[in-house]
Amino acid sequence: MFDILLRGGVVIALTAGAYFLTRMLLARFALPLLRRSRPAWAAPVERSRLLMLTALLAAVLTLGVALGLLAYGYPQLTELVRLLDTAVGIGILALMLSTMASIGLAIYEQQPLAKEVPLKGFVQLIQGGIFLIGALMIVAVFLGVPALYSFAA
């Protein structure tokens, strides 16, 4: 029993460390670089939740890798956590893609052409498609079906 608690603690520590390290590196290096190179793009990126979602994705990927620590002797627990990890990773990736589309729209709306050619409806359609595909992939993961089979007619 102590063994699983120790391994779980190490996995949680690695996952939390990956989240906070990614968040710190993005805030310390990526945002200042973006402010210097593209100041008009920096404001929409800072207002969005893209940095948090990127750090969460890094934490989920770290959790998936660190599950090897739990694999020895506890295969059922490992499969359950790997299943949840995959579903959460797909959800975070869908949210990241949707947020990137919103950031792209915010940057586009700063251009003079945006008043003549609005793209808000098109971006919302793309975001809906991203969420639909993400939801189908999450359901496919829970059902144990390969994601490509769920899109085949």
Side-chain angles (χ1 to χ4, degrees):
M1 181 67 181
F2 179 72
D3 185 40
I4 188 70
L5 292 176
L6 181 65
R7 290 180 189 186
V10 168
V11 168
I12 289 171
L14 285 173
T15 303
Y19 173 79
F20 289 114
L21 182 66
T22 304
R23 192 110 192 225
M24 187 216 32
L25 289 174
L26 287 172
R28 182 151 313 179
F29 296 114
L31 274 179
L33 181 64
L34 186 62
R35 282 187 206 113
R36 278 195 302 271
S37 64
R38 302 274 187 184
W41 294 12
V45 171
E46 287 175 351
R47 283 192 308 264
S48 73
R49 55 184 186 221
L50 185 64
L51 299 179
M52 180 206 52
L53 290 172
T54 305
L56 277 175
L57 186 64
V60 167
L61 291 173
T62 304
L63 179 64
V65 171
L67 280 176
L69 294 172
L70 288 176
Y72 182 73
Y74 304 99
Q76 293 170 339
L77 178 65
T78 302
E79 282 304 312
L80 174 67
V81 175
R82 190 172 306 276
L83 179 75
L84 293 174
D85 183 55
T86 303
V88 169
I90 291 169
I92 290 172
L93 193 59
L95 284 172
M96 281 182 68
L97 290 172
S98 173
T99 302
M100 284 193 268
S102 295
I103 291 171
L105 178 65
I107 293 169
Y108 174 75
E109 286 176 345
Q110 295 173 357
Q111 305 298 320
L113 178 66
K115 298 202 185 329
E116 298 172 17
V117 185
L119 293 179
K120 188 171 187 172
F122 181 67
V123 170
Q124 288 175 343
L125 183 70
I126 288 176
Q127 287 174 331
I130 289 170
F131 287 132
L132 180 68
I133 291 171
L136 286 174
M137 290 180 72
I138 290 172
V139 168
V141 164
F142 282 130
L143 292 177
V145 178
L148 284 177
Y149 292 160
S150 62
F151 296 116

